[in-house]
Amino acid sequence: MELKKSADMVINTCMGAKKGETVLIVTDTCTDEMISKALYDSAVDAGCEAILLTMEPREQHGAEPPALVEEAMKNADVVLAPASKSLTHTQARKKASDNGTRTATMPGINLTMMQEGGLNADYEEIGKLADELLETLKGSKEVRITTEKGTDLILDVEGCEWMADTGICHEKGTTSNLPAGEMYIAPKNVNGRAVIDGSMGGIGLLDKPLIVDIKDRSAVSFEGEGAEKLEAMVESVGPDGRNIAELGIGINPAARLIGVILEDEKVGGTIHIALGDNSTFGGDVKVDLHLDGIITGPTVLVDGIDLNVKRFA
């Protein structure tokens, strides 16, 4: 019953699916079939034309799906993507959004996440908070992030657009992660050191910090836990894999740090930076990679004013 309740919330509350609409569920063979089946059944119960496509897992987050899946996504009213690798930062997702499809990606979702934690947050409250923050952040020029563990980043965001992931996709072309709950931006420039101590995309929870030194928006060195693995993933796609693609701020108080980036990056009071692609949300780098690293306990200064991110926990 808990699984059905969560699936119904995704279909009805988050996506606002209406009778007669086409709901496409894109999954892969590494994702529990019970999740896609629950979403399918909820779409049918809502009177929708439900379609389920199962593909082989992508090699990494941000890699494109097969051409057939891309075409199907563009022609659906609603797309849900519970898959082991993220379709969020793909051209297929962007083309679907541009065509008016309402999309929600759920990379790494598992049965526990469907029934507990961030997915079951109060998305109306998250939406209100996001609206307030957009007003606060709009027009900002510089963000500085520091932590007691050694993070010290300066981000030039002048002229860049802050966006909100609220989990509500009722308007044509809107897109979200589920679980949702973050503010994010593609920065113009980034310099400094990121001490990633929560989790890292492609690696998981970290027992020891992973240190990334950054110069002119490019990751120039990796040290600490998982450094070799991360550098190998970055190198596999070429120089653009080193791009600092995103700054995100988690605002979901129900989200937990569990080693699945989908939920980890939404944890209230954390921030994350991402490597790789940002072409789908206002950036200028297109590459088949998008990996987020979570930083806990940050102080975030926006044009010198403390955002007090602890209040989002």
Side-chain angles (χ1 to χ4, degrees), residues 1-8 10-11 25-43 45 52 54 80-83 106 109-115 119:
M1 288 302 294
E2 288 298 319
L3 182 58
K4 176 172 175 47
K5 180 180 176 182
S6 293
D8 286 347
V10 169
I11 295 294
I25 298 154
V26 179
T27 188
D28 62 26
T29 55
C30 285
T31 302
D32 196 310
E33 293 178 1
M34 291 179 65
I35 295 171
S36 54
K37 181 64 165 55
L39 293 168
Y40 181 95
D41 289 345
S42 289
D45 290 345
L52 176 61
T54 303
L80 296 169
M106 308 168 75
I109 192 78
N110 57 43
L111 282 173
T112 300
M113 291 170 65
M114 280 290 291
Q115 299 171 87
L119 186 61

Side-chain angles (χ1 to χ4, degrees), residues 118-135:
L119 186 61
N120 295 285
D122 185 336
Y123 284 114
E124 288 188 2
E125 288 301 315
I126 287 175
K128 291 177 184 177
L129 175 58
D131 287 343
E132 292 174 9
L133 286 171
L134 283 175
E135 286 301 312

Side-chain angles (χ1 to χ4, degrees), residues 28 50 61 101 105 110 122 125 148 156 162 178 201 219 231 250 254 260 270 276 284 295:
D28 62 26
H61 296 293
T101 303
T105 53
N110 57 43
D122 185 336
E125 288 301 315
E148 292 182 357
D156 179 358
W162 284 94
L178 289 174
E231 189 158 18
V260 180
T270 66
D284 55 6
I295 297 172

Side-chain angles (χ1 to χ4, degrees), residues 217-297:
R217 218 180 78 187
S218 178
V220 296
S221 68
F222 305 90
E223 299 176 38
E225 184 178 350
E228 290 185 7
K229 183 176 181 180
L230 178 58
E231 189 158 18
M233 288 189 287
V234 166
E235 287 294 314
S236 72
V237 298
D240 282 344
R242 293 180 177 269
N243 176 54
I244 304 302
E246 175 190 7
L247 165 66
I249 303 171
I251 61 171
N252 185 331
R256 308 150 304 162
L257 195 63
I258 59 175
V260 180
I261 290 297
L262 172 64
E263 181 147 350
D264 294 351
E265 67 178 1
K266 314 306 188 318
V267 172
T270 66
I271 67 103
H272 55 277
I273 61 166
L275 294 156
D277 187 277
N278 57 12
S279 64
T280 62
F281 58 99
D284 55 6
V285 171
K286 183 191 296 185
V287 65
D288 279 359
L289 181 83
H290 186 92
L291 298 172
D292 296 275
I294 315 303
I295 297 172
T296 68

Side-chain angles (χ1 to χ4, degrees), residues 209-220:
L210 169 59
I211 301 168
V212 182
D213 284 321
I214 299 162
K215 182 175 174 57
D216 294 332
R217 218 180 78 187
S218 178
V220 296

Side-chain angles (χ1 to χ4, degrees), residues 112 127 131 137 162 182-183 191 206 208 231 245 297:
T112 300
D131 287 343
L137 296 168
W162 284 94
E182 68 167 302
M183 314 299 296
N191 284 283
L206 299 174
K208 297 179 181 178
E231 189 158 18

Side-chain angles (χ1 to χ4, degrees), residues 3 13 16 20 31 53 69 97 148 160 171 187 189 198 227 240 264 298 309:
L3 182 58
T13 303
T31 302
L53 289 179
V69 173
S97 297
E148 292 182 357
C160 305
E171 303 297 325
N189 200 12
D240 282 344
D264 294 351
V309 297

